[in-house]
Amino acid sequence: MVYIDSVKAREVFDSRGNPTVEVDVILSDGTLGRAAVPSGASTGELEAVELRDGGERLAGKGVLKAVNNVNTEINQALHGLDPMNQGHVDATMIRLDGTPNKGRLGANAILGVSMATARAAANYQHVPLYRYLGGTDLELPQTFHNVINGGEHANNDIDFQEFMITPVKRQNFREGFEKIVDTYHTLKQLLDKEGHSTALGDEGGFAPNLKNSEEAFQLLRKAIIAAGYQPGEEIAIAFDAAASYFYDKDSGKYNLEGHSYTPDELGDYYGQLLDRYPEIISIEDPYSEDDWTNFEKFTKRYGKRVQIVADDPVCTNPELVRKAIKGGLGNAILIKLNQIGTVTETLETIRLARKNGYTTMMSHRSGETADTFVADFTVATNAAELKAGAPARSERVAKYNQLLRIEEELGADSSRLAYFPNDVDLD
Ligand code: PGA
Ligand code: ZN
């Protein structure tokens, strides 16, 4: 029987020029599985620990400690294990680490090995990763494209972090993606015409110095129409407020673009945005990760009208997701492999969300590599939704190109009329 012969990590660099971990898992028959770990900028406080070296080298961001942990302790612990038993491989690393947040060995070390193990197993079976992880029940996701970057992802004055466009109704993934590409190019022309910068932020979206978030919504609507599409009918809008970053813990207020809102006033403001821009169909992190009460209150108020995605409060952590579901926080869960640190625990979180009627939105990180694991993982888990940045910059487009390949491989079966998010035309 085939077994894991060795695991080997190295320090490589991500799309922001920061060090990250790449891992090779080598099986006893010589099969190789390789994966690279992404990295966030607007990280939740309860995310699993990304182990960085500190000190002077590479501004303290080196990952040689994590690399060394893979090459020594993890390598020893995994030698001889069955690569097809992902649960056992991941549990072995969790036990070896021994901390609740993977802080000793590093979630970046553990996740790199976890993903590379799945790849090695898929390669051994000569099947694509999405097929190995997902079997035959496979679906292309609705994709959300961050085309205007603010918050921690750009140095402009916009406080909301991500302004996304998404194809609402489509025959297949390619058709929807082409509409996004059209809208992206039209937005660039529009920004240029109105005298704004067309420089790009971390996720490939534009980072113009707009007055406020509302101006971003206006521009998106204009771009959708100018590209020849109907806002809300063909292309809809979503945003990630990433409100932890404009929340003032001491006063309990939200300082947003020159206004200081109480939590209720912020809710009113979101309500006004929804009235003025009915093409907004999804809001992520409208309240801070420290403000569950108001996040829950907001969900009660608007959860029937719009998708409300929880990211920072739950950090892909099954325990936190359990708590969120119990309290009615959000109606969708953002899924990021590196927030929790193993493939197995991420699958548990997805299962938990789905059982309780929560939609799952898979996500890249603002620091990415050319690795397309997340695209295969989204299709394999029928996650329903994926956000992976603008249709620009290779580390973002790589994910969408992989979806195009997967759709081609799946053929006509995957090409069917889909209404999002429920496959039911609710109108
Ligand atoms: P990050 O941002 O990858 O920089 O953490 C993504 C998000 O907040 O959804
Ligand atoms: Zn977020």
Side-chain angles (χ1 to χ4, degrees), residues 40-43 153 161-162 203 240 284 311 334 336 365-366 387:
S42 81
T43 47
H153 294 165
Q161 179 176 282
E162 300 168 14
E203 298 190 346
D240 181 2
E284 183 179 328
D311 173 14
L334 200 76
K336 293 165 170 164
R365 297 309 300 251
S366 49
K387 67 167 185 173

Side-chain angles (χ1 to χ4, degrees), residues 401-415:
N401 286 342
Q402 177 68 354
L403 291 181
L404 290 171
R405 280 179 216 113
I406 294 174
E407 184 163 78
E408 186 184 297
E409 283 169 17
L410 295 181
D413 286 356
S414 70
S415 304

Side-chain angles (χ1 to χ4, degrees), residues 239-258:
F239 69 95
D240 181 2
S244 306
Y245 284 83
F246 54 87
Y247 179 58
D248 178 25
K249 245 187 200 172
D250 296 332
S251 66
K253 286 195 168 179
Y254 288 84
N255 297 322
L256 179 64
E257 297 163 358

